[in-house]
Amino acid sequence: MASRKSPLFDTATTVGKIMSFLGVSALCGLLAAGLVFPLAATGGAAATAGSDVLEEIPTELSEEPLSTPTRVYASDGETLIATFYEENRQPVSSDGISQYMKDAIVAIEDERFYEHGGVDARGAARALVHNLTSSTQQGASTLTMQYVNNVLNNAAVVRGEGRVLFSGINDKTYADKLREMKLAVAVEQEMTKDEILEGYLNIVLLGGQTYGVEAAAQYYWGIPASELNLQQSATLAGMVQSPNYFNPEYNQDNAKWRRNVVLDNMLSLGYITEEEHREAREAELGVDPHPQPHGCAQASFANYFCDFVQRQVLANEAFGEDEEARKTMLYRGGLDIVTTLDADTQRAAEDEVMATVPPGDDSGAVASIISVEPNTGNIVAMAQSTEYDPDRSFADGATTLNMNVGPEFGGGPNALPVGSTLKPFVAAAWVEQGGSMNDIVDATGSEFEQGDWVDASCLPGGGFRLGVEADSEEGDMWSVENVGENMNRRMSIDHGLYNSVNTATLATAFDMDMCDITDLTDRLDIVRASDGEGMNPSQPSFTVGGTELAPLTLASAYTVFANDGVQCEERVFLEITDWQGNSYPVPEEDCSEKLDADVVAQVNDTLVNIAERSPTNNSPFPAGNPPFPMLGKTGTSGENSHTWFAGSTKGLTSVAQIGRLEDIQSLNERRIGNQGPFEWFYGSSMAQPMWYEYIEKVGRNYDTGDFRESPNSEFDNRRESYPRSGALPGGRNGGSSNNGDNDSGNNDSSDEDDNNDDDD
């Protein structure tokens, strides 16, 4: 390791001045003793020469804010989620420190603290004599010098320079000691003794990652520094010399011996009485560790939300010019981060996912719930049924992958196929282009020939021909299935959406410009989790579920159905300040109209019936009798590996998902949690009931009003029973060819006369 050069001694001229000032041997003796130059004792020409040398050393103490923990809170500003720190420190004023503690540190570290001006000539002389006559070495650093040393170290660490000074006298260069000496004198001229003592007791290391007396008192005894008794104060003061060797948690014999040395000094200096001294020496250490958890793995709850917050900070230029600077701010900046998380809603979400699919379930499935406030964009819950633990495997039910978000914010490499949850946006695009939910489309076609023309005005040439796969020939057919009988026929768009009929959705898409659909999904920021790109109009299989989204993306898009077409940018921060009271910018609420309110209201006619009238397994309320208005849509991937329910009350949009996190394998015929096995595993099997159970618990904490009704609706009563008139043959035709993959939105639906159709 290369030796470090001090800028104070880069020239031979400076070294020559020092040598002529004291002489080589005298200088080495003084510095080896850890001394500071007692200028007043030298006198005469030597003092003048010494003053010239010291003028070259800066007197301004280079300070940075003390490294203090960052705390992340729920939206109430009081419920602690997690703490981040490199140094666990809680700055406290002098009034908040026990007098015993102040006396103890002076007695053991600098008994002449109140008499010198930063440099103790008498102590220096004593140390010099000791070092010349003994095989051991003494230092002569005053508390002020130690304070300077700690401040310089803190500044170096915060600036990313590492620790450049050390407490051991043999670790310091001549330049270090000279600078420490002069800065100590300058500090004494600027600060009172009480201020210096306060600063020292807030900055000093007291074992492990514990710094300062407040954090130490909390850690070792679970009390504030103001309540430290005599023996506790002496124990902490004794640690300063060697924080690990005299650590009362791990080295009790050493700690007790050193404590008693401090007590002896306090008695000899008159700080305590004989009786106090005797009782304190006889007392046990009484250590009762209260570790301060740190990082998301040790968060009290909402571990995956914690991870999301951490990544948001590291990606935000407001906290530093690069990721390393932002990490320093997070771990050392003493930030108080108030987030959008609702503690009660989060706990309900965690309870629900864990009860539905326990961690490490044999099925390989994981349950998740994410909730967003439609009128603010605030993320209020983010839960999944795994343990956040970087040291355990997924087989044990643990992972640090956050399945609710995309890879850029901690999501896994395997995105989640969304099934039919995108179908409402196809219907919305239809209505936006002047259509009606009561229009009739021809849903008879289930096979689409490769090479057919599809209109897409945003593409070169105004459209595209359905592509031919590399291993297929022109004329090959793409077969799309409907789950359920009697679904390949003419029907209304409303009826097709209610029953999640694939051929009806494709007929709707091909009877319009595909770019009208992708224009809408782009407006709503619906992007693939794998690459962050929007829906591709030349790959229309996305309309029936042939794409993968992060649940947060889907939840944000669904907020428009609850919020009259207005979508708000997702938010995670409400307020950020540091321990000095400085504020940091947080995103304001950013909401804009993405869909006409009347368009949304017409689509909601169908979505309300899906959520309120479709009985499912384990529903907490009978069909048609919900506790408050709600809307939503199920989804199932083509492999039956991922199932969804995306829905809303007026005040809370939530997406529930159950699927395999590590691979795409069917969950048919598998027991999941304490349910099943299901012959066919659909969104209605467990995801929809889980959503119902969750929303029944938390929904009343938010707006539970009804959704706006459209004056242009084709239906007199959006909650009327099926079949509706538009489900009968007649009216507008549709239907064409399609391209793409196998049906990734494999949906089950059955007879139109059965209200229990939406099983997808």
Side-chain angles (χ1 to χ4, degrees):
M1 179 174 173
S3 60
R4 180 180 56 80
K5 293 183 179 180
S6 169
L8 299 178
F9 290 89
D10 282 343
T11 66
T13 303
T14 304
V15 173
K17 289 182 180 180
I18 295 174
M19 297 307 175
S20 64
F21 169 39
L22 287 177
V24 175
S25 55
L27 174 65
C28 293
L30 284 172
L31 291 177
L35 306 183
V36 183
F37 298 101
L39 297 182
T42 58
T48 302
S51 297
D52 291 342
V53 175
L54 296 180
E55 285 299 321
E56 298 184 15
I57 303 173
T59 59
E60 183 177 349
L61 185 60
S62 177
E63 293 188 77
E64 296 286 349
L66 285 181
S67 294
T68 54
T70 287
R71 291 178 172 80
V72 180
Y73 296 93
S75 58
D76 59 9
E78 297 179 358
T79 303
L80 182 65
I81 298 172
T83 304
F84 295 89
Y85 62 81
E86 293 288 345
E87 299 178 1
N88 182 24
R89 176 185 286 111
Q90 301 175 45
V92 64
S93 68
S94 180
D95 292 342
I97 302 173
S98 162
Q99 188 61 46
Y100 283 128
M101 186 69 237
K102 299 175 187 177
D103 294 341
I105 201 69
V106 170
I108 195 63
E109 290 296 317
D110 186 2
E111 63 186 48
R112 286 173 40 78
F113 173 66
Y114 293 103
E115 300 170 29
H116 62 65
V119 177
D120 186 4
R122 185 186 302 177
R126 183 191 66 244
L128 177 59
V129 171
H130 174 88
N131 293 347
L132 292 175
T133 60
S134 172
S135 60
T136 63
Q137 296 237 316
Q138 277 186 4
S141 290
T142 64
L143 275 174
T144 310
M145 293 165 61
Q146 292 182 47
Y147 171 64
V148 166
N149 183 48
N150 278 281
V151 169
L152 292 174
N153 269 323
N154 178 75
V157 171
V158 170
R159 291 194 296 263
E161 300 168 0
R163 291 190 178 276
V164 296
L165 298 177
F166 302 87
S167 58
I169 60 174
N170 293 326
D171 293 322
K172 293 181 181 178
T173 67
Y174 298 161
D176 290 336
K177 205 64 185 177
L178 285 170
R179 178 170 59 164
E180 185 179 297
M181 180 250 340
K182 190 170 184 182
L183 289 173
V185 173
V187 165
E188 290 272 357
Q189 295 172 350
E190 296 294 329
M191 298 171 65
T192 67
K193 291 289 186 179
D194 200 44
E195 289 171 339
I196 294 170
L197 193 58
E198 174 189 315
Y200 178 81
L201 289 173
N202 274 311
I203 201 171
V204 67
L205 172 63
L206 291 170
Q209 292 178 283
T210 303
Y211 289 75
V213 294
E214 178 67 19
Q218 295 286 358
Y219 180 87
Y220 294 111
W221 296 285
I223 60 173
S226 61
E227 296 180 10
L228 287 167
N229 63 26
L230 174 57
Q231 56 265 32
Q232 292 166 341
S233 298
T235 301
L236 293 183
M239 294 177 67
V240 170
Q241 185 182 76
S242 181
N244 292 324
Y245 187 74
F246 296 122
N247 189 305
E249 183 179 5
Y250 304 111
N251 298 305
Q252 294 196 4
D253 291 342
N254 296 346
K256 183 176 288 189
W257 176 85
R258 181 65 175 170
R259 179 201 68 181
N260 291 344
V261 171
V262 176
L263 291 170
D264 292 346
N265 279 23
M266 294 180 74
L267 176 63
S268 67
L269 293 171
Y271 285 122
I272 56 176
T273 66
E274 289 278 2
E275 182 178 359
E276 288 176 314
H277 175 259
R278 184 181 65 256
E279 291 178 353
R281 282 183 63 95
E282 294 174 353
E284 296 298 322
L285 293 174
V287 173
D288 179 22
H290 289 67
Q292 172 65 61
H294 63 100
C296 293
Q298 298 180 32
S300 58
F301 71 124
N303 305 77
Y304 295 96
F305 179 80
C306 169
D307 184 271
F308 184 67
V309 168
Q310 177 181 350
R311 293 172 186 272
Q312 291 281 326
V313 171
L314 296 180
N316 192 331
E317 293 182 357
F319 302 104
E321 61 182 12
D322 55 34
E323 185 169 324
E324 190 62 33
R326 297 163 203 158
K327 185 176 181 181
T328 296
M329 175 63 75
L330 179 65
Y331 281 84
R332 296 182 176 277
L335 303 176
D336 282 337
I337 301 176
V338 181
T339 70
T340 58
L341 190 84
D342 184 296
D344 292 337
T345 304
Q346 174 66 26
R347 290 191 175 102
E350 291 183 357
D351 290 346
E352 195 61 44
V353 297
M354 293 294 188
T356 304
V357 184
D361 191 71
D362 290 342
S363 66
V366 177
S368 69
I369 291 176
I370 189 164
S371 293
V372 179
E373 283 185 327
N375 62 334
T376 64
N378 292 347
I379 301 171
V380 297
M382 181 183 290
Q384 67 188 57
S385 63
T386 55
E387 303 288 347
Y388 186 95
D389 190 338
D391 299 323
R392 292 165 54 205
S393 69
F394 181 74
D396 295 330
T399 182
T400 56
L401 298 179
N402 185 348
M403 65 191 302
N404 276 302
V405 300
E408 71 276 23
F409 287 117
N414 300 319
L416 309 178
V418 295
S420 298
T421 56
L422 286 187
K423 289 179 178 177
F425 302 104
V426 177
W430 177 274
V431 176
E432 189 174 52
Q433 295 305 310
S436 164
M437 293 297 293
N438 203 32
D439 288 339
I440 302 299
V441 293
D442 185 358
T444 59
S446 60
E447 292 187 337
F448 303 92
E449 186 173 350
Q450 305 279 13
D452 281 353
W453 179 262
V454 179
D455 289 332
S457 59
C458 57
L459 298 179
F464 63 96
R465 294 192 180 278
L466 298 179
V468 178
E469 299 295 334
D471 59 351
S472 64
E473 299 179 0
E474 188 171 353
D476 281 358
M477 307 300 291
W478 172 39
S479 178
V480 178
E481 296 181 0
N482 292 316
V483 179
E485 299 177 357
N486 196 28
M487 287 293 110
N488 291 66
R489 55 185 173 80
R490 294 161 63 86
M491 64 182 65
S492 70
I493 293 174
D494 163 71
H495 187 78
L497 178 59
Y498 180 85
N499 290 284
S500 205
V501 181
N502 286 332
T503 56
T505 298
L506 290 170
T508 305
F510 289 142
D511 202 33
M512 60 189 302
D513 191 314
M514 283 297 303
C515 294
D516 291 336
I517 302 173
T518 57
D519 174 67
L520 188 152
T521 56
D522 287 346
R523 268 181 276 149
L524 298 179
D525 299 319
I526 297 176
V527 297
R528 294 189 298 267
S530 56
D531 57 13
E533 298 294 327
M535 301 300 100
N536 188 337
S538 67
Q539 297 178 356
S541 58
F542 77 85
T543 62
V544 289
T547 193
E548 300 169 326
L549 305 181
L552 177 56
T553 299
L554 191 62
S556 178
Y558 262 74
T559 60
V560 297
F561 297 120
N563 201 29
D564 299 331
V566 174
Q567 184 183 36
C568 302
E569 292 291 325
E570 304 125 28
R571 297 176 72 220
V572 71
F573 300 126
L574 294 180
E575 182 182 23
I576 302 177
T577 57
D578 62 26
W579 69 276
Q580 296 176 305
N582 301 312
S583 296
Y584 294 80
V586 298
E588 299 291 333
E589 291 182 13
D590 184 7
C591 306
S592 59
E593 184 179 277
K594 300 295 182 68
L595 276 171
D596 183 81
D598 185 60
V599 171
V600 168
Q602 291 185 58
V603 177
N604 283 353
D605 287 344
T606 308
L607 298 183
V608 166
N609 275 289
I610 291 173
E612 294 185 9
R613 303 186 64 85
S614 298
T616 65
N617 300 324
N618 302 321
S619 174
F621 54 85
N625 189 29
F628 33 75
M630 56 183 62
L631 57 79
K633 180 71 184 75
T634 51
T636 305
S637 70
E639 300 80 9
N640 295 76
S641 61
H642 293 81
T643 62
W644 304 72
F645 190 82
S648 248
T649 62
K650 186 64 177 172
L652 190 66
T653 299
S654 304
V655 170
Q657 190 275 155
I658 296 174
R660 292 180 60 88
L661 184 59
E662 293 206 317
D663 53 43
I664 297 178
Q665 292 185 20
S666 174
L667 289 171
N668 296 335
E669 302 291 354
R670 298 193 191 212
R671 185 167 180 82
I672 303 170
N674 62 1
Q675 300 184 51
F678 300 90
E679 181 179 1
W680 296 97
F681 190 63
Y682 298 118
S684 61
S685 301
M686 290 178 68
Q688 187 174 9
M690 181 175 72
W691 187 93
Y692 282 151
E693 292 281 353
Y694 166 68
I695 208 67
E696 200 274 335
K697 294 173 184 175
V698 304
R700 293 178 181 83
N701 298 328
Y702 303 85
D703 186 354
T704 56
D706 204 354
F707 306 101
R708 178 183 181 275
E709 293 197 36
S710 169
N712 299 320
S713 174
E714 297 287 339
F715 312 110
D716 295 332
N717 180 1
R718 66 169 24 149
R719 293 176 170 88
E720 66 183 324
S721 298
Y722 280 79
R724 285 174 167 166
S725 60
L728 302 176
R732 189 169 179 168
N733 257 324
S736 182
S737 305
N738 198 357
N739 171 45
D741 326 45
N742 290 329
D743 171 24
S744 295
N746 190 15
N747 311 289
D748 85 283
S749 46
S750 54
D751 197 292
E752 70 172 318
D753 295 322
D754 182 359
N755 278 337
N756 189 16
D757 294 336
D758 187 24
D759 292 353
D760 109 25

